[in-house]
């Protein structure tokens, strides 16, 4: 299984319309990339794709502290960790922690170009 890292929010606690719109745009992009990977036969878990709607509909916390335990368990079960290199991925606290987890667990990491993503 591939654990797919991607930028979701650089200001997770903000609920401004602009921040919500950015999270939705990123979700839609990651959703499309995840679908492409699945069409190629990859088994992919994306925390953004698999949790975005649930988090909105059920008012789950937006903080990385809430999601990190869940993410760590999914990385533990993954064979590889892939990173969508979207703008801000190097500054993302979530991706930084996910890569640290992958390293601690000895998971291979692959960086994926996002040449078709524009903010």
């Amino acid at each position: 299984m591939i654990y797919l890292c991607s930028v979701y929010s650089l200001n997770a606690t903000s609920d401004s319309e602009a921040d919500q719109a950015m999270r939705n745009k990123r979700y839609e992009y990651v959703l499309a990339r995840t679908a492409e990977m699945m069409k190629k036969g990859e088994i992919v878990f994306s925390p953004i794709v698999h949790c975005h709607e649930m988090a909105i509909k059920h008012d789950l916390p937006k903080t990385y502290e809430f999601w990190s335990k869940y993410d760590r368990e999914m990385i533990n079960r993954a064979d590889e960790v892939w990173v969508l290199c979207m703008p801000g991925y190097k500054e993302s606290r979530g991706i930084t922690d996910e890569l640290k987890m992958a390293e601690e667990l000895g998971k291979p990491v692959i960086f994926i170009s996002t040449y078709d993503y524009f903010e």
Side-chain angles (χ1 to χ4, degrees), residues 22-86:
M22 181 59 68
R23 284 192 293 270
N24 287 335
K25 180 179 180 180
R26 290 173 176 167
Y27 162 75
E28 291 294 336
Y29 179 79
V30 177
L31 178 66
R33 292 299 296 263
T34 302
E36 288 172 9
M37 294 168 68
M38 291 176 70
K39 285 178 185 176
K40 293 177 183 174
E42 302 287 358
I43 306 299
V44 182
F45 173 79
S46 163
I48 303 308
V49 170
H50 291 93
C51 299
H52 172 80
E53 289 290 326
M54 177 176 45
I56 291 171
K57 289 182 180 181
H58 297 283
D59 197 30
L60 294 175
K62 294 173 186 69
T63 63
Y64 185 70
E65 290 76 18
F66 176 81
W67 293 102
S68 64
K69 179 180 176 185
Y70 182 77
D71 292 345
R72 177 174 279 282
E73 184 59 34
M74 297 309 285
I75 290 171
N76 188 46
R77 294 170 188 243
D79 300 303
E80 298 178 332
V81 173
W82 292 15
V83 180
L84 288 176
C85 298
M86 299 163 68

Side-chain angles (χ1 to χ4, degrees), residues 29 33 83-85 111-116:
Y29 179 79
R33 292 299 296 263
V83 180
L84 288 176
C85 298
F111 294 88
I112 308 297
S113 171
T114 57
Y115 61 87
D116 58 342

